[in-house]
Amino acid sequence: MAVKVRYAPSPTGSPHVGNLRTAIYDWLLAKKEGGEFLVRLEDTDRSPDRYAPESIADIEESLRYLGILPDSWWVTGGKDTPYVQSERLPLYAEIVEGLIAQGHAYKCFCTKERLEQMRQRQQELGIPSGYDRRCRNLPLDDRARYEAENLPYVVRLAMPLEGTCLLKDAVRGEVKYEYRLQDDQVLLKSDGFPTYFLAATVDDRLMGITHILRGEEWLGSAPKMIHLYNVLEWEAPVFAHLPVILGTDRKKLSKRHGSTNFRAFIEQGYLPEALINFLVLLGWSTGEENRELLSINEIIERFSLSGITEHPAIFDYEKLKWMNGHYIRSSQPGRITGLCIPYLVKAGLLSNPPTPEEVAYARRIIPLEQERMKVLSEVVDLVGFFFKELNYPNGYDEKAIAKWMGVAHIKALLEKEIAAFESLPEWTTEAIEAASRAIGEELGVKFAEVVHPTRVATTGQTVGPGLFETLWALGRERTLERLRTVLAHLS
RNA sequence: GGGGAUAUCGUCUAGAGGUUAGGACGAGGGAUUUUCAGUCCUUAAGCCGGGGUUCGAUUCCCCGUAUCCCUACCA
């Protein structure tokens, strides 16, 4: 049977990297096995504080950005339509009616207040918590009366009171559960919407899903779903429970640890291939081959559920940065330039939209800083000196001035450079370097004693790309202007 | 309180009944000298504890401990 996997996000905010990793694994499995990758929107939680329909666009964008496009989803449709659970309500209602008729599920009229009190009492007494099943054994005339009164109700799954459930997990092997310890899970809420347990089970079945990849936090609820499959007489798909991703304090990754949602990573400038490569490695490895830097195709070739780790992984932002830097460095300069320009526009360094001259300038300077970038957003600080008026000495690094603007040969150096640069037939890195070396010899100082003061005078700082590439990119006019300004202040 | 999962350098991980326990990030040192970054070389750093099984366990089993997850009309 062909593999069919699904990613089933909820519109409760910008996607979390943990969910994205699940989506990546889903996509990889589908690609590897020549199967189908389906994405379904699980929008059954309508409570105003969680339901965030505007995040649907984020979900779509995250998949597009990563390049893990679904074979079928609500955006492009497909043969399992609709892909949005709120549009599938009648399907769930029908299943629930059948379950009630067969005694596998029952209406529960308990109020939230009663359930709350029950839970509190259970906690005080130190006994296992869970629904006390009062409505499971409700006398018939009570139920008839409640129904006649139109009391709100939920539908609960009647779990077996004995026996064990054996889950065969693709990453964890066999896990056993006692049915009697399982709660009578709510399947249908009082607002008529299904819960995850019902909706996901029904949809996975109707959509022909063969493998369910989900976070380990779902492991404990597997027996409820397996029981549902059993009473519905459906064959259960393969379950694969993925290790959770933790923050540096070993707690479930959350906003406290820094960025966790897709949007934040994009804004900081992480490349899709870096995100995928890093996320994939958080819980999966190539095994003996021992490689970490892998292209998408190399990952697809090697991917398998058996390579998935069983223990939680801590999200290492440093390693992600390193990996992103690696992918930036190995990208075509044109691509990085294009990706960086919006950051410069946003920072006000370029007009909105940028003029052709500005774009040409950006194309000259951004590649010079490419190997220094870990994330794209750093470009703003890295190339700032190319754009800003330096205004000696205020715009200059204090320590840089202290170290190099007071050296004995500074005035002679600047004077000679201005004269030499003015008369240079061609403004090329080679010509600039040759002239600079000649000046150094004339002055009888070491080459470094030419380079460092010149760098400070023209850039205001001590770090940056190679000096002659910098001056070349800066252009003859800007270079001369900066040298003259500094010289004027020194005189 | 109950249930479940997991346990190899600080972090991500590989690994096998006998290995100098391998790689990567990060950290330290060195080289390249036009700074920073990069690149190359290099060093330090690990099998949770206790019982078994075994000639031999870090590896297999049990117990303990620790950590994480679940225990909602959220997913």
Side-chain angles (χ1 to χ4, degrees):
Chain A
M1 185 170 51
V3 164
K4 193 167 180 183
V5 292
R6 48 73 163 177
Y7 167 53
S10 293
T12 51
S14 185
H16 183 99
V17 286
N19 294 124
L20 254 15
R21 187 195 58 176
T22 304
I24 292 168
Y25 284 170
D26 275 316
W27 181 82
L28 286 170
L29 188 63
K31 287 291 162 209
K32 174 66 189 287
E33 305 295 335
E36 184 178 343
F37 175 48
L38 176 157
V39 175
R40 174 176 78 215
L41 192 68
E42 308 228 322
D43 59 343
T44 56
D45 183 358
R46 315 304 278 194
S47 76
D49 55 329
R50 284 189 296 265
Y51 181 55
E54 65 280 2
S55 62
I56 296 172
D58 270 10
I59 292 170
E60 295 172 11
E61 197 194 336
S62 64
L63 298 178
R64 288 200 190 91
Y65 186 82
L66 292 174
I68 53 172
L69 286 174
D71 297 302
S72 54
W73 57 337
W74 63 88
V75 178
T76 56
K79 58 183 181 303
D80 298 306
T81 202
Y83 292 89
V84 177
Q85 288 186 329
S86 59
E87 295 169 19
R88 302 171 65 85
L89 265 25
L91 262 22
Y92 313 124
E94 192 189 325
I95 299 283
V96 164
E97 272 175 40
L99 287 170
I100 295 176
Q102 292 174 66
H104 293 308
Y106 60 93
K107 291 181 179 177
C108 169
F109 298 91
C110 292
T111 62
K112 285 186 179 170
E113 290 71 32
R114 190 185 100 76
L115 294 174
E116 186 50 43
Q117 281 171 17
M118 175 196 74
R119 221 167 281 132
Q120 233 174 52
R121 206 178 321 120
Q122 287 168 338
Q123 236 163 46
E124 282 164 15
L125 294 173
I127 57 174
S129 56
Y131 181 53
D132 60 8
R133 295 177 167 141
R134 178 154 100 163
C135 292
R136 182 158 168 177
N137 310 305
L138 207 59
L140 253 55
D141 44 330
D142 279 352
R143 197 172 74 204
R145 199 174 68 247
Y146 294 155
E147 283 176 346
E149 286 173 27
N150 259 328
L151 285 186
Y153 64 89
V154 300
V155 177
R156 288 181 185 272
L157 179 63
M159 290 299 289
L161 276 2
E162 55 185 16
T164 58
C165 169
L166 181 71
L167 166 68
K168 287 179 186 163
D169 190 87
V171 347
R172 278 152 222 283
E174 299 189 344
V175 186
K176 276 184 198 153
Y177 291 92
E178 300 264 348
Y179 270 130
R180 67 185 169 81
L181 267 12
Q182 299 296 320
D183 210 358
D184 278 0
Q185 188 64 46
V186 171
L187 296 178
L188 200 66
K189 298 181 257 189
S190 55
D191 62 2
F193 278 83
T195 58
Y196 169 82
F197 304 89
L198 208 223
T201 303
V202 170
D203 287 347
D204 286 341
R205 165 69 180 195
L206 264 26
M207 294 176 174
I209 300 303
T210 60
H211 298 253
I212 296 180
L213 274 55
R214 30 137 66 161
E216 198 209 298
E217 63 267 27
W218 293 103
L219 192 57
S221 67
K224 293 167 188 168
M225 298 182 76
I226 287 175
H227 180 247
L228 233 194
Y229 279 103
N230 288 158
V231 299
L232 256 10
E233 296 181 330
W234 292 345
E235 193 188 335
V238 175
F239 283 92
H241 287 94
L242 278 15
V244 292
I245 300 177
L246 308 176
T248 37
D249 59 356
R250 313 199 123 268
K251 297 270 185 270
K252 203 173 172 181
L253 191 65
S254 75
K255 290 205 177 70
R256 288 196 316 282
H257 308 292
S259 316
T260 56
N261 62 265
F262 157 78
R263 185 147 298 286
F265 284 99
I266 302 320
E267 281 167 6
Q268 287 170 65
Y270 285 95
L271 263 25
E273 62 268 41
L275 248 14
I276 288 190
N277 196 159
F278 177 76
L279 252 15
V280 160
L281 253 26
L282 231 43
W284 176 84
S285 80
T286 55
E288 288 186 333
E289 189 186 0
N290 229 347
R291 280 185 56 203
E292 299 209 317
L293 258 8
L294 299 152
S295 71
I296 306 292
N297 284 331
E298 288 172 327
I299 295 171
I300 293 171
E301 282 169 27
R302 291 159 177 75
F303 189 75
S304 108
L305 293 181
S306 62
I308 293 178
T309 303
E310 293 150 69
H311 50 266
I314 294 175
F315 194 102
D316 185 352
Y317 289 90
E318 285 306 310
K319 188 161 184 177
L320 204 213
K321 271 196 166 187
W322 161 77
M323 197 172 271
N324 199 55
H326 164 82
Y327 281 108
I328 288 178
R329 269 175 257 126
S330 49
S331 288
Q332 293 292 326
R335 177 192 182 203
I336 299 304
T337 302
L339 292 172
C340 283
I341 287 178
Y343 288 95
L344 299 180
V345 170
K346 200 174 171 199
L349 262 23
L350 296 179
S351 324
N352 189 12
T355 65
E357 292 75 28
E358 286 175 331
V359 171
Y361 190 36
R363 293 173 73 90
R364 224 164 53 230
I365 63 180
I366 292 173
L368 297 183
E369 295 285 11
Q370 186 169 341
E371 63 181 26
R372 256 161 290 262
M373 280 181 229
K374 295 267 198 299
V375 291
L376 263 17
S377 56
E378 287 172 351
V379 73
V380 174
D381 289 333
L382 253 17
V383 304
F385 70 86
F386 276 106
F387 293 94
K388 292 180 202 151
E389 292 292 326
L390 257 28
N391 295 325
Y392 189 87
N394 296 334
Y396 283 59
D397 178 54
E398 259 181 64
K399 281 182 196 147
I401 290 182
K403 184 159 188 195
W404 292 108
M405 294 298 94
V407 294
H409 64 291
I410 186 68
K411 280 169 75 173
L413 173 68
L414 296 177
E415 278 164 6
K416 283 181 184 296
E417 281 181 334
I418 290 165
F421 292 167
E422 273 173 342
S423 59
L424 228 43
E426 266 191 319
W427 190 251
T428 62
T429 56
E430 294 78 12
I432 301 166
E433 175 165 358
S436 301
R437 284 192 185 273
I439 292 169
E441 280 171 32
E442 271 178 61
L443 258 25
V445 298
K446 282 188 285 186
F447 189 46
E449 292 174 294
V450 171
V451 170
H452 296 314
T454 308
R455 178 190 303 283
V456 174
T458 53
T459 70
Q461 55 191 47
T462 55
V463 298
L467 178 64
F468 308 113
E469 292 170 299
T470 302
L471 297 186
W472 165 77
L474 206 49
R476 194 195 304 246
E477 287 316 306
R478 278 197 197 80
T479 300
L480 286 171
E481 183 196 320
R482 290 181 180 187
L483 291 173
R484 288 188 191 114
T485 306
V486 174
L487 182 60
H489 276 87
L490 291 177
S491 302

